[in-house]
Structures are given as structure tokens and as C-alpha cells.
């Protein structure tokens, strides 16, 4: 049988089992609802700070800013291979509404199990070149990403990581396990190898950080780069 070919990328979310304590059902969360909740996906124990944050020491995250016209890919369940799909199976498949413009949605197919869900990320070269992908959800304040002053609450960002890249690189944001914080990951960048902690273990590289569009952000593009910066 010819295998399915689906033009959609879905990645696992590395999220603690205590996350998502808001009133929304755990099977469906939008980036907007998460970012405005007092307890977000990224609400985990405080991490040990190491290296530079975004914008420090000439180190910059690979950011992707959504605008108000961004339409996120849909995460859609597969009912099976036709012919051969039963009516019972066809009717048992659940679907969810599309995310709002400028937002994305998380999907947790097993709300009673470990909170490791999926999220669709755009099809682009940096995603294609990520050999062993996993997604983290990080608050913009922890990553050093500046957003408009009108935004007071932490905003959840999609952080795409390539676990296959376990080597040092200058000014690249590394996912590490630190000797003083075993069993937990930290994210930071370094201007030179001399700044890198000798006992740290490199677990991957950040290859993309996606920022949702929020109502307080600029809506339309003018064509001038200085004016089109949204965050």
C-alpha cells in the first residue's frame, strides 16, 4: 500500500505533567489562552541561568513573528486508509476548531495521560533541517525576547530544538544539562567557547522560536523593515 504523505509537521511538546491548570480542556489550547493564563505551559521550577539571553553578547534567537493574518497549520486526525475505513471509525474521529488568526493550537490527545502533546510548526528550511526535533514551550521573559510594553503577562513561545546537534557553536542557543542542576535543561548562548561551562552537557540547539501575534502588536506590514518589526 502506498504510504500516506502529509504536508504538516507535528512535534512533541516537552511539558511537565502539572502544566495547563486553566479552565480550558487539556485537549485544546491556543497560544493566546496559554499566554494569558496565570499558569502557563512553561510554568516549571526556576532554571539555573547560564550564558546569554536573546540580545545579549551579540547572541540572537532565530525568531519567527506571526502577524494578524497568520493561519496556523491544522492538526487533523487520520481515520485510516481508503478503501477499508469503517463507518464506526470514521465517526469516532474527533476534530477541533482552527486556531485564531495569529495564534497556534496545542493538541493533547490523551488528557488523562502524561501531558506530552503536539503542535504544528510552519514548513520552512530551518524546520526541515532540524534532524531530531522536539518542542519546548518557553515564556518570553525567560528567553529574553522583548515584546510590547502593553503585554504584562508572560507569553508562551514555541522553541524548536534539534537534539542531533550536540556540539558547541558560538552565539547559537544551546540546550544544556548543567552539573549544578542535574536532570533539568537550561538554555543559553555564549560568545566564545571560553565562556561555556566545562561541566555542561550539550543536549541540542535551538533552531526556531515562534512568537504569536497578540492584539497589542502591529497589524499590517508597511514594506519597510524598520516599521515591520512586531516585537
Amino acid at each position: 500500500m502506498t504510504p500516506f504523505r502529509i504536508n504538516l509537521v507535528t512535534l512533541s511538546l516537552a511539558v511537565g505533567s502539572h502544566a495547563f491548570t486553566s479552565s480550558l480542556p487539556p485537549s485544546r489550547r491556543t497560544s493566546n489562552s496559554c499566554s494569558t493564563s496565570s499558569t502557563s505551559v512553561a510554568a516549571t521550577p526556576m532554571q539555573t541561568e547560564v550564558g546569554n539571553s536573546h540580545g545579549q553578547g551579540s547572541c540572537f534567537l532565530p525568531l519567527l513573528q506571526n502577524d494578524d493574518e497568520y493561519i496556523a497549520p491544522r492538526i487533523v486526525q487520520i481515520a485510516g486508509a481508503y478503501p477499508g475505513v469503517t463507518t464506526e471509525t470514521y465517526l469516532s474521529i474527533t476534530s477541533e476548531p482552527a486556531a485564531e488568526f495569529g495564534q497556534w493550537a496545542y493538541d493533547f490527545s490523551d488528557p488523562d495521560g502524561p501531558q506530552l502533546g503536539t503542535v504544528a510548526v510552519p514548513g520552512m528550511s530551518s524546520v526541515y533541517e532540524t534532524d531530531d526535533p522536539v518542542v519546548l514551550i518557553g515564556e518570553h521573559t525567560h528567553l529574553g525576547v522583548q515584546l510590547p510594553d502593553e503585554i504584562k503577562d508572560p507569553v508562551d513561545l514555541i522553541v524548536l530544538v534539534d537534539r542531533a546537534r550536540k556540539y558547541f557553536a558560538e552565539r547559537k542557543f544551546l540546550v544544556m544539562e548543567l552539573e549544578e542542576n542535574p536532570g533539568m535543561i537550561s538554555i543559553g548562548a555564549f560568545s566564545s567557547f571560553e565562556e561555556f561551562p566545562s561541566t555542561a552537557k550539550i543536549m541540542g540547539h535551538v533552531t526556531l522560536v515562534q512568537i504569536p501575534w497578540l492584539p497589542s502588536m502591529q497589524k499590517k506590514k508597511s514594506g519597510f523593515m524598520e516599521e515591520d518589526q512586531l516585537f
Side-chain angles (χ1 to χ4, degrees):
M1 178 181 295
T2 303
F4 290 107
R5 183 172 182 83
I6 305 174
N7 189 23
L8 177 67
V9 182
T10 58
L11 299 174
S12 296
L13 293 173
V15 181
S17 59
H18 64 283
F20 285 122
T21 58
S22 66
S23 59
L24 290 177
S27 61
R28 182 67 176 182
R29 313 278 181 178
T30 66
S31 58
N32 185 42
S33 62
C34 292
S35 64
T36 57
S37 172
S38 59
T39 304
S40 67
V41 181
T44 56
M46 293 298 294
Q47 303 298 306
T48 302
E49 292 187 4
V50 59
N52 295 305
S53 296
H54 175 69
Q56 296 179 339
S58 298
C59 301
F60 300 94
L61 286 162
L63 301 178
L64 173 65
Q65 170 70 67
N66 293 355
D67 60 25
D68 61 315
E69 297 180 350
Y70 171 79
I71 300 176
R74 297 284 297 274
I75 302 174
V76 182
Q77 296 187 31
I78 300 173
Y82 174 85
V85 180
T86 65
T87 303
E88 181 181 5
T89 300
Y90 174 79
L91 294 175
S92 69
I93 299 299
T94 60
S95 64
E96 301 288 349
E100 298 179 7
F101 282 94
Q103 308 292 326
W104 58 75
Y106 309 123
D107 179 72
F108 290 84
S109 56
D110 182 11
D112 298 323
Q115 295 298 289
L116 301 175
T118 57
V119 62
V121 296
M124 52 194 306
S125 59
S126 59
V127 177
Y128 175 80
E129 294 167 358
T130 301
D131 292 332
D132 186 12
V134 67
V135 163
L136 307 172
I137 303 300
E139 293 177 354
H140 78 285
T141 52
H142 290 166
L143 296 170
V145 175
Q146 298 296 317
L147 295 179
D149 294 336
E150 294 81 2
I151 298 176
K152 305 301 182 183
D153 297 325
V155 174
D156 289 340
L157 310 181
I158 290 178
V159 182
L160 178 64
V161 177
D162 188 352
R163 295 178 295 185
R165 306 182 193 185
K166 299 180 179 180
Y167 53 85
F168 177 83
E170 293 182 354
R171 298 185 175 87
K172 298 293 185 182
F173 278 82
L174 311 176
V175 176
M176 301 160 288
E177 182 181 26
L178 305 177
E179 183 180 47
E180 60 269 28
N181 198 20
M184 301 297 294
I185 63 169
S186 299
I187 299 176
F190 305 88
S191 300
S192 65
F193 184 73
E194 287 71 24
E195 299 177 2
F196 181 73
S198 59
T199 57
K201 180 181 179 181
I202 299 176
M203 309 289 288
H205 287 201
V206 174
T207 57
L208 180 70
V209 176
Q210 189 172 6
I211 305 171
W213 179 84
L214 299 173
S216 60
M217 295 177 176
Q218 176 181 329
K219 287 189 175 183
K220 298 297 181 181
K221 296 182 178 180
S222 65
F224 294 95
M225 182 174 63
E226 294 83 357
E227 299 179 9
D228 287 343
Q229 187 175 5
L230 301 183
F231 48 84

